[in-house]
Amino acid sequence: MQTMEKNRLQVLPKALHPSIKTLLRSLETQIKTITKQIDEAVMQVKHWRTQTEILTSVPGVGKVLAYTLLSELPELGKLNRKEIAALVGVAPMNRESGSWNGKRRIRGGRHRIRTVMFMAMLSSIQCNPVFKRFYEHLKAQGKLPKVAIIACMRKLIVVLNTMLKNETRWGENMA
């Protein structure tokens, strides 16, 4: 809603700006309140706190992604790499029948996690040298930017899964 209202602010006449700005301030207050409540809830449960600390140790993984993974993907850290990638929906699936061969595409999985991970990966490519190198390598091989981002997302979820499984924090030698 906040983004929607910010977009409306850009296109509507200046006479309507005060009411939209009031609504934006209200939304901002509500977002801060809810974020504080989530932070407090996570800090009260030792298991969640530990998992959040492990997840956010990765450059490019913030609280939004960490909390999304905690709430939407309780299997994280308990499955193997193929299962977790398929569950999130970043594993390429074959589309074949008989002699007909189609393209491999991602499908299924949990779309809310995928959406948050996509935004987090855009940040990771900028600030995390491991994912930046991997992204640049894929693009140099001729992959489309979106395909390279999805491959980076798969790598990220596999790394996060392994980190939670082994209860280790991020290090440059991890990926």
Side-chain angles (χ1 to χ4, degrees):
M1 281 181 64
Q2 187 180 37
T3 303
M4 185 174 64
E5 292 303 320
K6 285 179 181 178
N7 291 340
R8 285 182 58 212
L9 192 62
Q10 294 175 358
V11 296
L12 290 177
K14 290 198 184 263
L16 299 174
H17 284 201
S19 65
I20 294 173
K21 287 182 179 179
T22 303
L23 182 57
L24 280 170
R25 282 192 295 275
S26 173
L27 288 171
E28 184 66 33
T29 303
Q30 290 178 19
I31 290 169
K32 285 180 182 177
T33 303
I34 292 169
T35 302
K36 184 178 177 187
Q37 290 173 346
I38 293 171
D39 287 340
E40 289 171 359
V42 167
M43 290 304 136
Q44 289 177 358
V45 179
K46 185 178 187 246
H47 181 67
W48 289 347
R49 184 176 57 241
T50 304
Q51 285 186 331
T52 301
E53 290 169 358
I54 290 170
L55 293 172
T56 56
S57 70
V58 178
V61 175
K63 286 183 178 181
V64 173
L65 178 57
Y67 293 166
T68 301
L69 292 174
L70 286 177
S71 63
E72 301 280 336
L73 195 63
E75 301 89 351
L76 191 63
K78 298 176 181 79
L79 301 176
N80 67 39
R81 63 187 177 88
K82 290 182 179 180
E83 291 170 333
I84 203 71
L87 193 56
V88 173
V90 292
M93 302 288 186
N94 288 338
R95 187 149 184 235
E96 300 173 345
S97 177
S99 62
W100 182 77
N101 288 329
K103 289 185 175 183
R104 296 180 75 181
R105 300 177 188 266
I106 62 166
R107 63 177 183 201
R110 300 182 182 165
H111 69 91
R112 285 188 279 197
I113 297 170
R114 219 173 23 254
T115 302
V116 174
M117 281 193 70
F118 187 86
M119 296 308 294
M121 186 48 62
L122 293 177
S123 172
S124 285
I125 289 170
Q126 301 298 316
C127 68
N128 189 324
V130 172
F131 289 107
K132 184 174 186 165
R133 271 194 311 273
F134 187 57
Y135 176 75
E136 294 299 332
H137 170 74
L138 291 171
K139 280 186 53 182
Q141 287 183 326
K143 302 292 183 192
L144 296 172
K146 191 172 181 181
V147 172
I149 290 171
I150 299 298
C152 289
M153 287 168 51
R154 177 184 165 92
K155 183 175 179 126
L156 176 62
I157 198 66
V158 168
V159 167
L160 293 174
N161 187 54
T162 304
M163 287 171 60
L164 284 182
K165 191 179 287 187
N166 299 334
E167 294 185 359
T168 56
R169 294 182 189 275
W170 176 260
E172 287 301 315
N173 57 351
M174 300 230 15

